[in-house]
Amino acid sequence: MTGIRLTAPAPGWAIDADVVVVGSGVAGLTTALRCAAAGLATVVVTKARLDDGSTRWAQGGIAAALGEGDTPEQHLDDTLVAGVGLCDEAAVRALVTEGPDAVRRLIDTGAHFDTTDTGAIALTREGGHHRRRIAHAGGDATGAEISRALVEAVRSAALRIIENALVLDLLTDGEGRAEGVTLHVMGEGQHDGVGAVHAPAVVLATGGMGQVFSATTNPPVSTGDGVALALRAGAEVSDLEFVQFHPTVLFLGADSEGQQPLVSEAVRGEGAHLVDASGTRFMLGQHELAELAPRDIVAKAITRQMHLQGTEHMYLDGRHFGAEMWEQRFPTILAACRTHGIDPVTQPIPVAPAAHYASGGVRTDLSGRTTVPGLYACGEVACTGVHGANRLASNSLLEGLVFAERIAADIIGTTGGTGAPSGATPRSSRPVVDPAGTHTVPLLTAESRTAIQRIMTRGAGVVRSADSLAAAAEELDALRQAAAAEEDGPKDAVPGVEAWEATNLLLVSRVLVAAAREREETRGCHWREDRPDRDDAAWRRHLVVRITADRQPVVRTTDSAAFPPVRPGGPGDPAGTAPPTSLRTDPADAPEEP
């Protein structure tokens, strides 16, 4: 434990539960439904409304070997190639083998996917996939449909839901085991202000951290809160340097900031071409899959062309689709483009890369357990080992489904359905450590958020170097020192959502930059222009980061591409030894990057 917490008022109210799930995307709601179905008292905490998470913004679809001739083994191979030697093969194998049935259970929950004339699930292709295996809904509104189905199921199950609540910090007992969370509820409701949910199982499903950068496809709530909470609680994070920049985001101007409209990879999957201003297709000859190469390769190619030609964007040309296909297959994208004055039916779409997905996160085993007993992580906030150095398109929703079910199974199996870990001290006898007795973090002002985003975009964006990262680290540390110097002074930030979010963004940014400085190679979506080559001998391994009590990142390198167990035989392992699912094997046979 680090003994660090955000500066915040003491909890003024508290409720008890068996499980508290933080987040309301596909990962969080699936976990909550499975735990509640087993009879566990489950509370869902979400930062905005129940359906406002990142899941609803997913356009392309969910990848699974559902089509004729496709197999989990083929899906595994494509995932390993995209991950550039850093995927954990055991995690990927769990994903691709359990994925098809998880999608079918999602359908049973009420999700409606697009179908063919014969009634079969309609499948498309996206970058890095050699087969059509992407199931979609509403043309390009897959996330919205999945969110709708899960939200309806959660409301029907009468789970306890706390909306508009920013989770602050982890509560622990005297042995360092998770014992709930503190949170701040915004606005009117049954609870208001800072409170606590006491529960022996805490599941982080808080989504991503795209708001670290100026331009992102992530919603405004994606401020890295889960990763920051885990770091303050003493958990390890891994692979945080691998931030995926989606190649085709609608270009709204060089100074455009905040959430940007995504132009789904499925548009290229259906045959749209990437071209420059003269109409030349520049992906031909760069990769066997051309526009359908893995995302890191396409994003780099677009960025190179922008630099070579001195332009701020390239174009995605789908004019040959015709109006009917745009209206039926991609209605969401069509509407977004037209809102900004672009008609894809008659014009190529200006596109440029923008921050999209965190391939790394809070390090877990294959049951979603972190290095802090009782704390689980699932979805984009987690690093399960599935994505490696670059997530394969449409694997994110599937990861949320599969590993949510694994977490629920572990919680149910560990507690025996009683809500308390097997062999643990009864809850009434486990005093929660008073957060007031820990070290508080000086808060940043709300204005610091923009400063952090611009620092990160300049220094740790699509293209990085030793110099740019060093400059970013220096500027971020200056923000940290300024906050510490102003604590209790006239400019001291007032505890509140904006200050807490900015403080979380700073911590996550500092850890990301520390890892990016350490990895002196180019691999996947980590592009070092001063180290342009991939170096398997030195860097086919993971960077694991924790923070010290004085909030300094400590980076260590694993001995191989295998993750060490999260808690081999340590506290929180109910069997007393590391379970087989947490023992990682080096994916020595992982295919090389093409």
Side-chain angles (χ1 to χ4, degrees):
M1 294 186 294
T2 63
I4 305 172
R5 69 173 182 94
L6 289 171
T7 300
W13 54 269
I15 60 175
D16 288 333
D18 296 327
V19 183
V20 56
V21 177
V22 186
S24 60
V26 62
L29 295 188
T30 300
T31 305
L33 285 169
R34 299 293 180 268
C35 288
L40 296 177
T42 304
V43 173
V44 175
V45 176
T46 184
K47 192 173 178 181
R49 302 293 295 175
L50 199 58
D51 60 353
D52 277 348
S54 293
T55 291
R56 68 185 288 251
W57 298 100
Q59 293 176 345
I62 184 167
L66 297 165
E68 184 177 353
D70 197 6
T71 63
E73 200 69 27
Q74 294 176 69
H75 190 182
L76 180 141
D77 289 343
D78 286 345
T79 300
L80 295 180
V81 168
V84 202
L86 283 186
C87 295
D88 170 35
E89 187 168 345
V92 178
R93 194 169 294 280
L95 178 85
V96 300
T97 56
E98 297 172 21
D101 283 342
V103 172
R104 295 183 185 102
R105 284 189 288 273
L106 180 61
I107 293 172
D108 291 339
T109 301
H112 301 293
F113 289 94
D114 296 337
T115 57
T116 65
D117 293 340
T118 63
I121 295 176
L123 301 172
T124 189
R125 278 183 68 194
E126 290 184 355
H129 293 271
H130 283 78
R131 284 194 174 271
R132 285 183 169 265
R133 64 167 66 97
I134 315 300
H136 48 83
D140 58 358
T142 310
E145 171 58 17
I146 290 174
S147 180
R148 180 205 62 77
L150 290 173
V151 166
E152 286 189 7
V154 164
R155 293 201 187 281
S156 297
L159 272 72
R160 189 162 191 172
I161 302 163
I162 304 177
E163 295 180 302
N164 301 310
L166 172 63
V167 168
L168 302 176
D169 281 302
L170 189 72
L171 293 171
T172 58
D173 65 15
E175 298 174 350
R177 172 183 284 278
E179 191 56 38
V181 294
T182 56
L183 66 161
H184 174 76
V185 180
M186 301 162 271
E188 298 179 0
Q190 185 177 0
H191 302 291
D192 198 5
V194 175
V197 179
H198 297 288
V202 177
V203 182
L204 296 179
T206 51
M209 54 185 191
Q211 291 293 325
V212 159
F213 298 95
S214 297
T216 177
T217 63
N218 288 191
V221 295
S222 298
T223 51
D225 306 317
V227 171
L229 176 151
L231 282 164
R232 287 193 298 272
E236 294 181 345
V237 302
S238 186
D239 299 355
L240 218 61
E241 68 271 30
F242 297 118
V243 177
Q244 186 178 83
F245 285 75
H246 198 287
T248 54
V249 175
L250 182 62
F251 180 74
L252 301 179
D255 297 327
S256 181
E257 297 181 337
Q259 186 178 8
Q260 311 289 298
L262 176 66
V263 181
S264 169
E265 199 150 339
V267 177
R268 282 175 280 139
E270 295 292 352
H273 303 143
L274 283 166
V275 299
D276 60 17
S278 68
T280 301
R281 289 180 65 186
F282 54 86
M283 284 304 300
L284 294 175
Q286 295 207 33
H287 190 276
E288 61 167 337
L289 296 177
E291 282 90 353
L292 288 179
R295 287 179 178 174
D296 63 311
I297 295 172
V298 179
K300 289 172 187 174
I302 291 174
T303 304
R304 287 193 190 100
Q305 289 299 314
M306 289 162 52
H307 289 172
L308 286 172
Q309 299 183 23
T311 61
E312 296 176 326
H313 61 82
M314 289 286 113
Y315 293 92
L316 185 64
D317 192 352
R319 289 175 291 179
H320 53 285
F321 287 174
E324 184 178 358
M325 181 172 176
W326 273 109
E327 291 166 359
Q328 294 184 1
R329 181 67 179 86
F330 301 112
T332 306
I333 297 169
L334 178 63
C337 288
R338 285 177 170 170
T339 296
H340 294 283
I342 303 295
D343 188 350
V345 177
T346 60
Q347 299 170 273
I349 305 169
V351 294
H356 181 58
Y357 191 88
S359 293
V362 184
R363 189 167 77 82
T364 74
D365 64 14
L366 299 191
S367 294
R369 293 178 291 188
T370 73
T371 50
V372 174
L375 179 66
Y376 297 78
C378 189
E380 191 173 354
V381 70
C383 182
T384 62
V386 160
H387 304 308
N390 179 52
R391 175 175 69 85
L392 181 65
S394 288
N395 267 357
S396 55
L397 292 175
L398 190 71
E399 181 194 33
L401 275 181
V402 168
F403 285 87
E405 292 185 341
R406 284 178 156 252
I407 286 174
D410 189 76
I411 293 172
I412 295 164
T414 300
T415 65
T418 65
S422 178
T425 307
R427 187 186 309 177
S428 59
S429 303
R430 294 200 310 271
V432 174
V433 174
D434 181 4
T438 59
H439 305 292
T440 57
V441 178
L443 299 179
L444 273 68
T445 61
E447 294 75 20
S448 300
R449 177 172 179 151
T450 300
I452 293 167
Q453 292 170 334
R454 291 175 179 172
I455 290 168
M456 291 297 290
T457 299
R458 284 195 306 268
V462 180
V463 183
R464 304 164 176 175
S465 69
D467 289 344
S468 76
L469 291 166
E474 184 176 349
E475 291 179 85
L476 292 171
D477 195 55
L479 287 177
R480 182 184 70 86
Q481 292 184 27
E486 294 173 357
E487 190 174 15
D488 298 326
K491 296 183 180 179
D492 185 31
V494 177
V497 173
E498 292 181 338
W500 290 322
E501 285 183 333
T503 304
N504 284 340
L505 283 172
L506 178 63
L507 176 56
V508 172
S509 297
R510 293 179 64 230
V511 172
L512 190 160
V513 168
R517 295 181 75 180
E518 189 77 12
R519 185 173 290 280
E520 296 181 337
E521 65 159 357
T522 291
R523 181 184 298 268
C525 47
H526 173 65
W527 184 4
R528 286 280 298 261
E529 60 179 349
D530 58 330
R531 294 285 191 273
D533 298 322
R534 168 180 164 183
D535 184 356
D536 277 354
W539 291 110
R540 189 160 174 255
R541 55 199 69 203
H542 301 275
L543 297 178
V544 176
V545 189
R546 61 177 180 84
I547 61 169
T548 61
D550 58 354
R551 305 188 303 282
Q552 294 300 320
V554 175
V555 184
R556 67 182 175 92
T557 307
T558 60
D559 294 333
S560 69
F563 276 126
V566 292
R567 295 192 302 279
D573 185 342
T577 58
T581 54
S582 70
L583 297 177
R584 306 288 184 145
T585 56
D586 191 341
D589 298 326
E592 296 295 305
E593 180 181 26

